[in-house]
Amino acid sequence: MNENNTAVQEKKPGIVRRLYNWMLSWAESPWGGLALFIFAMSESIFFPVPPDVLLMALCIGMPKKSFKYALICTAGSVFGAMIGFGLGAFAWDLVDSWFIPTIFSQEAFDNVANLYAEWNFWLVFTAGFTPVPYKLITISAGVCLGIADFGIFVLASVISRGLRFFLVASLIWKFGAPIKKFIDKYFNLCALAFTVLLIGGFVLIKYAL
């Protein structure tokens, strides 16, 4: 009996997986769109699971609304990014002990802050489009106010988050449920490769000219 209990406990999913499953459950709710906005907003500040999870589920359930959900997800994410920026700019002394080391490490935060002087737009774009933790960028941008320009920050967030979420929605709309496995397995890798090539192209042009 004890052995069985131990086996059950060992198979109990971790907190991130439970959050993942909880997010998916909202796809069956009439409040799915609102939940998507809230999750996307929260993920830009502290939430550990990317909103793509619920976005894909909603798009598979209602393919005709795929682009509407992508727009909702983008709006929520950018709104959350602006809140994160504000926390970093005006309330960091009050919340820093909660974010470090709970959400990210001091070393990671310092490294990102040092990159803003040279890679302002591209730093935000890369985090918004790839697996890089977006929340780390949004909050550190606010802390680096004066180096990180708010207008550039918002523009890069809109472009990168919009590209990411509309790409996911487009793939679901075009190919349906079967593409979900591909997105789950390869999307982050493809997004990272695309961003490296894009930034590399601009860097090459910069130094070539």
Side-chain angles (χ1 to χ4, degrees):
M1 186 70 175
N2 291 335
E3 292 180 358
N4 291 335
N5 290 337
T6 301
V8 171
Q9 289 176 358
E10 288 177 351
K11 292 181 181 180
K12 186 177 180 180
I15 185 171
V16 174
R17 185 67 197 185
R18 292 200 299 271
L19 286 172
Y20 183 101
N21 293 336
W22 178 62
M23 282 182 70
L24 284 178
S25 69
W26 283 94
E28 306 295 329
S29 167
W31 303 99
L34 178 60
L36 179 63
F37 181 92
I38 294 172
F39 284 134
M41 177 185 68
S42 302
E43 189 266 342
S44 295
I45 308 169
F46 65 89
F47 198 66
V49 183
D52 310 61
V53 173
L54 181 55
L55 174 62
M56 285 189 287
L58 287 168
C59 291
I60 289 171
M62 287 180 280
K64 292 182 179 180
K65 293 186 177 181
S66 293
F67 299 116
K68 174 185 176 181
Y69 288 132
L71 181 61
I72 291 172
C73 198
T74 302
S77 185
V78 174
F79 183 65
M82 291 190 287
I83 294 175
F85 189 101
L87 287 174
F90 306 112
W92 184 239
D93 290 340
L94 299 177
V95 300
D96 61 337
S97 60
W98 188 78
F99 280 96
I100 299 175
T102 307
I103 307 299
F104 39 71
S105 68
Q106 182 67 57
E107 181 182 5
F109 186 84
D110 292 340
N111 288 339
V112 168
N114 292 332
L115 292 171
Y116 269 108
E118 185 174 1
W119 298 100
N120 201 335
F121 176 91
W122 291 113
L123 187 62
V124 180
F125 179 91
T126 301
F129 191 70
T130 68
V132 175
Y134 188 49
K135 59 191 69 62
L136 173 59
I137 302 299
T138 65
I139 296 170
S140 60
V143 176
C144 296
L145 186 63
I147 299 176
D149 181 85
F150 181 70
I152 292 177
F153 170 81
V154 173
L155 177 64
S157 295
V158 171
I159 294 174
S160 61
R161 297 268 91 178
L163 279 174
R164 179 183 178 100
F165 300 137
F166 273 89
L167 178 56
V168 170
S170 297
L171 290 171
I172 297 293
W173 177 77
K174 179 69 174 177
F175 299 105
I179 197 66
K180 183 180 184 297
K181 290 183 179 180
F182 174 85
I183 296 175
D184 285 338
K185 190 171 184 179
Y186 298 113
F187 182 81
N188 283 338
L189 181 62
C190 292
L192 185 59
F194 170 80
T195 305
V196 169
L197 290 173
L198 184 63
I199 296 175
F202 275 93
V203 171
L204 182 63
I205 291 171
K206 174 183 176 181
Y207 287 104
L209 298 178

